[in-house]
Amino acid sequence: MNADEIVSGLVLELRRGTLILLVLSQLREPMYGYNLVKKLNDRDIPMDANTLYPLMRRLEGQGLLKSQWETGEGKPRKYYQITPEGQEVLEKTREYWNSFAKNVNAMLEGDI
Amino acid sequence: MKNDLIERYIYAVTRRMDHRIRNDVQQELYSLVDDMLAERCGGLAPSEKDIRVVLTELGTPQELYARYSDDGEKCLIGQPYYGTWKLVTKIVLAAVGIGVTVSALLESFAGTQTWYESVLSWLAMLWSGGMQGIGVVTILFAVFSRKGVQLGEPYNLDNLPPVPKKRQQISRGDCIFAIAFCAVITVLLLAAPQYLIGYWGPDKVIALFDTQVLNRCWYLILIFAVADITRSTVRLLEGQYNRKTLIVTLAANAVAAAAAALWLTMPNLINGEFVIHVQEAMAGEEAFIRNIFMNFDRFLLVVILLALILDTVEAAVKTLKK
């Protein structure tokens, strides 16, 4: 296995670990799935629709997201939004992430 | 947008889903495909090629179904059982292979079949025996996995089990040999009982068992084998004599003893021709010796029961002795 393959595997693992945090953070306002895919891609955080859609459904099953079909104008779309439980999970995970990322960055930069 | 290919794709993804979510996922996927096509084609009508590109991007229906399924990470035999399942399956398959090959060789020596009939019958027995072996072991481990049978004590720093004394350790080799031996004998009894020879003389060969009677009690032989393999497998998993191996030993040996008692007391189990031969050939021998051969089924039962009792006592002593 060459270095590129190893890096690609590591990047995948890192991305997988932060996926839920990212999704919850972006759904403070209602948003439909494909809109979120594009938003993340625009920020150079590639996420496939076939990963995001099942994930959002799973988070809904866990009570962290709620959803609603909107059929008013244009095509019907399912909008997802974070619930109070999801908000609580997001805040706690975000706090951990901030401290973790700070320490990791410090170690990577050789400050520790 | 309705399109036959899209409909068939979404149907393939959702057809095995629970009916409570199926419609919702279907609508969601239609909406997603629409969005992806709109993104790809702008205001233009999507072509067949565009649809194919978008659906390919979504992955195969099986992959997408697996991602939606809550069972995605569940499996029939998960860790920590999988490794031992693999080991026991290999042992059983090897034993079945040996048993079937031995019976096929015996059959070819008997010369009742042409060479290609022998090869075909060997392959058929190999296949059916292998499938049965895998089936029994898999069901056993699926039950372990489903019931969450603990391998060793639950982990807790304060009650980590002591390193077993040498006499409490169970040799992996012994367990593997016991499983293999049981599988070979079971294959021979079930697949080729006519080659379990009672007498092999220059003039004739006589089978020990009456194959018709033996075939009627196949389920008792299978119960005996499952009990025996269960006991050896649990010992293999635990690696030492402890309360669990003792309980399993007691239960498995009781089941095996009951199955053996029912099996070996079936009327006319021993081949009548063999009994007559013993009467004639051993007329001059002591009655005790002659009786052993004439009532070989009962003799075998006594030997099996003694072996089971000794095994139980050994397990009890090694478990309880400090």
PDB file of all heavy atoms in Angstrom, chain A residues 53-70:
ATOM      1  N   TYR A  53     -28.309  10.985   2.840  1.00  0.00           N
ATOM      2  CA  TYR A  53     -29.742  10.714   3.006  1.00  0.00           C
ATOM      3  C   TYR A  53     -30.014   9.618   4.044  1.00  0.00           C
ATOM      4  O   TYR A  53     -30.833   9.839   4.948  1.00  0.00           O
ATOM      5  CB  TYR A  53     -30.374  10.390   1.639  1.00  0.00           C
ATOM      6  CG  TYR A  53     -30.758  11.638   0.873  1.00  0.00           C
ATOM      7  CD1 TYR A  53     -29.792  12.499   0.383  1.00  0.00           C
ATOM      8  CD2 TYR A  53     -32.085  11.972   0.663  1.00  0.00           C
ATOM      9  CE1 TYR A  53     -30.120  13.663  -0.308  1.00  0.00           C
ATOM     10  CE2 TYR A  53     -32.437  13.130  -0.027  1.00  0.00           C
ATOM     11  CZ  TYR A  53     -31.460  13.966  -0.508  1.00  0.00           C
ATOM     12  OH  TYR A  53     -31.800  15.115  -1.177  1.00  0.00           O
ATOM     13  N   PRO A  54     -29.347   8.464   3.937  1.00  0.00           N
ATOM     14  CA  PRO A  54     -29.582   7.464   4.991  1.00  0.00           C
ATOM     15  C   PRO A  54     -29.156   7.952   6.369  1.00  0.00           C
ATOM     16  O   PRO A  54     -29.795   7.628   7.370  1.00  0.00           O
ATOM     17  CB  PRO A  54     -28.729   6.274   4.548  1.00  0.00           C
ATOM     18  CG  PRO A  54     -28.542   6.449   3.080  1.00  0.00           C
ATOM     19  CD  PRO A  54     -28.483   7.932   2.880  1.00  0.00           C
ATOM     20  N   LEU A  55     -28.084   8.770   6.407  1.00  0.00           N
ATOM     21  CA  LEU A  55     -27.614   9.282   7.693  1.00  0.00           C
ATOM     22  C   LEU A  55     -28.668  10.182   8.343  1.00  0.00           C
ATOM     23  O   LEU A  55     -28.953  10.073   9.538  1.00  0.00           O
ATOM     24  CB  LEU A  55     -26.300  10.057   7.494  1.00  0.00           C
ATOM     25  CG  LEU A  55     -25.771  10.766   8.744  1.00  0.00           C
ATOM     26  CD1 LEU A  55     -25.355   9.761   9.805  1.00  0.00           C
ATOM     27  CD2 LEU A  55     -24.585  11.671   8.404  1.00  0.00           C
ATOM     28  N   MET A  56     -29.256  11.067   7.534  1.00  0.00           N
ATOM     29  CA  MET A  56     -30.261  11.981   8.100  1.00  0.00           C
ATOM     30  C   MET A  56     -31.467  11.190   8.618  1.00  0.00           C
ATOM     31  O   MET A  56     -32.032  11.513   9.649  1.00  0.00           O
ATOM     32  CB  MET A  56     -30.702  12.991   7.038  1.00  0.00           C
ATOM     33  CG  MET A  56     -29.604  14.012   6.738  1.00  0.00           C
ATOM     34  SD  MET A  56     -30.196  15.512   5.936  1.00  0.00           S
ATOM     35  CE  MET A  56     -30.890  14.864   4.452  1.00  0.00           C
ATOM     36  N   ARG A  57     -31.824  10.144   7.887  1.00  0.00           N
ATOM     37  CA  ARG A  57     -32.955   9.319   8.335  1.00  0.00           C
ATOM     38  C   ARG A  57     -32.617   8.637   9.656  1.00  0.00           C
ATOM     39  O   ARG A  57     -33.457   8.523  10.548  1.00  0.00           O
ATOM     40  CB  ARG A  57     -33.271   8.275   7.254  1.00  0.00           C
ATOM     41  CG  ARG A  57     -34.443   7.405   7.558  1.00  0.00           C
ATOM     42  CD  ARG A  57     -34.836   6.623   6.355  1.00  0.00           C
ATOM     43  NE  ARG A  57     -35.555   7.429   5.400  1.00  0.00           N
ATOM     44  CZ  ARG A  57     -36.867   7.662   5.464  1.00  0.00           C
ATOM     45  NH1 ARG A  57     -37.586   7.142   6.433  1.00  0.00           N
ATOM     46  NH2 ARG A  57     -37.462   8.415   4.572  1.00  0.00           N
ATOM     47  N   ARG A  58     -31.357   8.180   9.784  1.00  0.00           N
ATOM     48  CA  ARG A  58     -30.947   7.516  11.030  1.00  0.00           C
ATOM     49  C   ARG A  58     -30.969   8.516  12.192  1.00  0.00           C
ATOM     50  O   ARG A  58     -31.413   8.206  13.288  1.00  0.00           O
ATOM     51  CB  ARG A  58     -29.544   6.921  10.859  1.00  0.00           C
ATOM     52  CG  ARG A  58     -29.246   5.794  11.825  1.00  0.00           C
ATOM     53  CD  ARG A  58     -28.018   5.025  11.421  1.00  0.00           C
ATOM     54  NE  ARG A  58     -28.147   4.483  10.084  1.00  0.00           N
ATOM     55  CZ  ARG A  58     -27.184   4.495   9.169  1.00  0.00           C
ATOM     56  NH1 ARG A  58     -26.017   5.011   9.444  1.00  0.00           N
ATOM     57  NH2 ARG A  58     -27.382   3.987   7.976  1.00  0.00           N
ATOM     58  N   LEU A  59     -30.476   9.729  11.928  1.00  0.00           N
ATOM     59  CA  LEU A  59     -30.470  10.749  12.987  1.00  0.00           C
ATOM     60  C   LEU A  59     -31.904  11.120  13.379  1.00  0.00           C
ATOM     61  O   LEU A  59     -32.182  11.412  14.547  1.00  0.00           O
ATOM     62  CB  LEU A  59     -29.704  11.993  12.517  1.00  0.00           C
ATOM     63  CG  LEU A  59     -28.202  11.786  12.296  1.00  0.00           C
ATOM     64  CD1 LEU A  59     -27.565  13.061  11.740  1.00  0.00           C
ATOM     65  CD2 LEU A  59     -27.519  11.392  13.592  1.00  0.00           C
ATOM     66  N   GLU A  60     -32.794  11.083  12.404  1.00  0.00           N
ATOM     67  CA  GLU A  60     -34.204  11.349  12.704  1.00  0.00           C
ATOM     68  C   GLU A  60     -34.748  10.241  13.605  1.00  0.00           C
ATOM     69  O   GLU A  60     -35.469  10.501  14.578  1.00  0.00           O
ATOM     70  CB  GLU A  60     -35.017  11.423  11.403  1.00  0.00           C
ATOM     71  CG  GLU A  60     -36.437  11.876  11.639  1.00  0.00           C
ATOM     72  CD  GLU A  60     -37.267  11.845  10.355  1.00  0.00           C
ATOM     73  OE1 GLU A  60     -36.812  11.279   9.346  1.00  0.00           O
ATOM     74  OE2 GLU A  60     -38.391  12.378  10.387  1.00  0.00           O
ATOM     75  N   GLY A  61     -34.361   9.000  13.292  1.00  0.00           N
ATOM     76  CA  GLY A  61     -34.788   7.851  14.102  1.00  0.00           C
ATOM     77  C   GLY A  61     -34.286   7.964  15.535  1.00  0.00           C
ATOM     78  O   GLY A  61     -34.934   7.495  16.468  1.00  0.00           O
ATOM     79  N   GLN A  62     -33.111   8.605  15.708  1.00  0.00           N
ATOM     80  CA  GLN A  62     -32.541   8.763  17.054  1.00  0.00           C
ATOM     81  C   GLN A  62     -33.107   9.985  17.760  1.00  0.00           C
ATOM     82  O   GLN A  62     -32.721  10.292  18.888  1.00  0.00           O
ATOM     83  CB  GLN A  62     -31.018   8.896  16.962  1.00  0.00           C
ATOM     84  CG  GLN A  62     -30.333   7.616  16.534  1.00  0.00           C
ATOM     85  CD  GLN A  62     -28.851   7.807  16.254  1.00  0.00           C
ATOM     86  OE1 GLN A  62     -28.365   8.943  16.148  1.00  0.00           O
ATOM     87  NE2 GLN A  62     -28.134   6.710  16.128  1.00  0.00           N
ATOM     88  N   GLY A  63     -33.967  10.721  17.073  1.00  0.00           N
ATOM     89  CA  GLY A  63     -34.597  11.892  17.693  1.00  0.00           C
ATOM     90  C   GLY A  63     -33.743  13.145  17.634  1.00  0.00           C
ATOM     91  O   GLY A  63     -34.045  14.138  18.286  1.00  0.00           O
ATOM     92  N   LEU A  64     -32.649  13.106  16.847  1.00  0.00           N
ATOM     93  CA  LEU A  64     -31.771  14.279  16.781  1.00  0.00           C
ATOM     94  C   LEU A  64     -32.202  15.244  15.672  1.00  0.00           C
ATOM     95  O   LEU A  64     -31.841  16.423  15.697  1.00  0.00           O
ATOM     96  CB  LEU A  64     -30.317  13.854  16.544  1.00  0.00           C
ATOM     97  CG  LEU A  64     -29.745  12.851  17.553  1.00  0.00           C
ATOM     98  CD1 LEU A  64     -28.275  12.579  17.254  1.00  0.00           C
ATOM     99  CD2 LEU A  64     -29.887  13.374  18.973  1.00  0.00           C
ATOM    100  N   LEU A  65     -32.957  14.729  14.707  1.00  0.00           N
ATOM    101  CA  LEU A  65     -33.497  15.569  13.630  1.00  0.00           C
ATOM    102  C   LEU A  65     -34.994  15.318  13.514  1.00  0.00           C
ATOM    103  O   LEU A  65     -35.484  14.259  13.912  1.00  0.00           O
ATOM    104  CB  LEU A  65     -32.845  15.218  12.277  1.00  0.00           C
ATOM    105  CG  LEU A  65     -31.357  15.490  12.086  1.00  0.00           C
ATOM    106  CD1 LEU A  65     -30.948  15.058  10.672  1.00  0.00           C
ATOM    107  CD2 LEU A  65     -31.029  16.960  12.280  1.00  0.00           C
ATOM    108  N   LYS A  66     -35.704  16.299  12.961  1.00  0.00           N
ATOM    109  CA  LYS A  66     -37.099  16.067  12.601  1.00  0.00           C
ATOM    110  C   LYS A  66     -37.256  16.456  11.125  1.00  0.00           C
ATOM    111  O   LYS A  66     -36.426  17.196  10.588  1.00  0.00           O
ATOM    112  CB  LYS A  66     -38.040  16.887  13.490  1.00  0.00           C
ATOM    113  CG  LYS A  66     -37.812  18.378  13.413  1.00  0.00           C
ATOM    114  CD  LYS A  66     -38.701  19.102  14.401  1.00  0.00           C
ATOM    115  CE  LYS A  66     -38.410  20.597  14.320  1.00  0.00           C
ATOM    116  NZ  LYS A  66     -39.145  21.386  15.270  1.00  0.00           N
ATOM    117  N   SER A  67     -38.293  15.940  10.510  1.00  0.00           N
ATOM    118  CA  SER A  67     -38.435  16.229   9.083  1.00  0.00           C
ATOM    119  C   SER A  67     -39.878  16.579   8.737  1.00  0.00           C
ATOM    120  O   SER A  67     -40.804  16.232   9.468  1.00  0.00           O
ATOM    121  CB  SER A  67     -38.003  15.014   8.263  1.00  0.00           C
ATOM    122  OG  SER A  67     -38.937  13.975   8.418  1.00  0.00           O
ATOM    123  N   GLN A  68     -39.992  17.252   7.605  1.00  0.00           N
ATOM    124  CA  GLN A  68     -41.334  17.629   7.147  1.00  0.00           C
ATOM    125  C   GLN A  68     -41.315  17.768   5.624  1.00  0.00           C
ATOM    126  O   GLN A  68     -40.400  18.361   5.056  1.00  0.00           O
ATOM    127  CB  GLN A  68     -41.717  18.972   7.787  1.00  0.00           C
ATOM    128  CG  GLN A  68     -43.165  19.292   7.567  1.00  0.00           C
ATOM    129  CD  GLN A  68     -43.567  20.586   8.276  1.00  0.00           C
ATOM    130  OE1 GLN A  68     -42.779  21.186   9.005  1.00  0.00           O
ATOM    131  NE2 GLN A  68     -44.799  21.003   8.050  1.00  0.00           N
ATOM    132  N   TRP A  69     -42.323  17.180   4.987  1.00  0.00           N
ATOM    133  CA  TRP A  69     -42.436  17.320   3.532  1.00  0.00           C
ATOM    134  C   TRP A  69     -43.041  18.677   3.208  1.00  0.00           C
ATOM    135  O   TRP A  69     -44.027  19.066   3.824  1.00  0.00           O
ATOM    136  CB  TRP A  69     -43.332  16.223   2.958  1.00  0.00           C
ATOM    137  CG  TRP A  69     -42.594  14.924   2.760  1.00  0.00           C
ATOM    138  CD1 TRP A  69     -42.585  13.868   3.614  1.00  0.00           C
ATOM    139  CD2 TRP A  69     -41.772  14.575   1.662  1.00  0.00           C
ATOM    140  NE1 TRP A  69     -41.785  12.861   3.116  1.00  0.00           N
ATOM    141  CE2 TRP A  69     -41.282  13.273   1.911  1.00  0.00           C
ATOM    142  CE3 TRP A  69     -41.368  15.216   0.489  1.00  0.00           C
ATOM    143  CZ2 TRP A  69     -40.430  12.600   1.034  1.00  0.00           C
ATOM    144  CZ3 TRP A  69     -40.524  14.547  -0.384  1.00  0.00           C
ATOM    145  CH2 TRP A  69     -40.055  13.256  -0.110  1.00  0.00           C
ATOM    146  N   GLU A  70     -42.441  19.350   2.266  1.00  0.00           N
ATOM    147  CA  GLU A  70     -43.018  20.625   1.823  1.00  0.00           C
ATOM    148  C   GLU A  70     -43.407  20.480   0.368  1.00  0.00           C
ATOM    149  O   GLU A  70     -42.563  20.179  -0.481  1.00  0.00           O
ATOM    150  CB  GLU A  70     -42.009  21.751   2.011  1.00  0.00           C
ATOM    151  CG  GLU A  70     -41.730  21.986   3.478  1.00  0.00           C
ATOM    152  CD  GLU A  70     -41.533  23.452   3.828  1.00  0.00           C
ATOM    153  OE1 GLU A  70     -41.462  24.276   2.900  1.00  0.00           O
ATOM    154  OE2 GLU A  70     -41.435  23.746   5.034  1.00  0.00           O
TER     155      GLU A  70
END
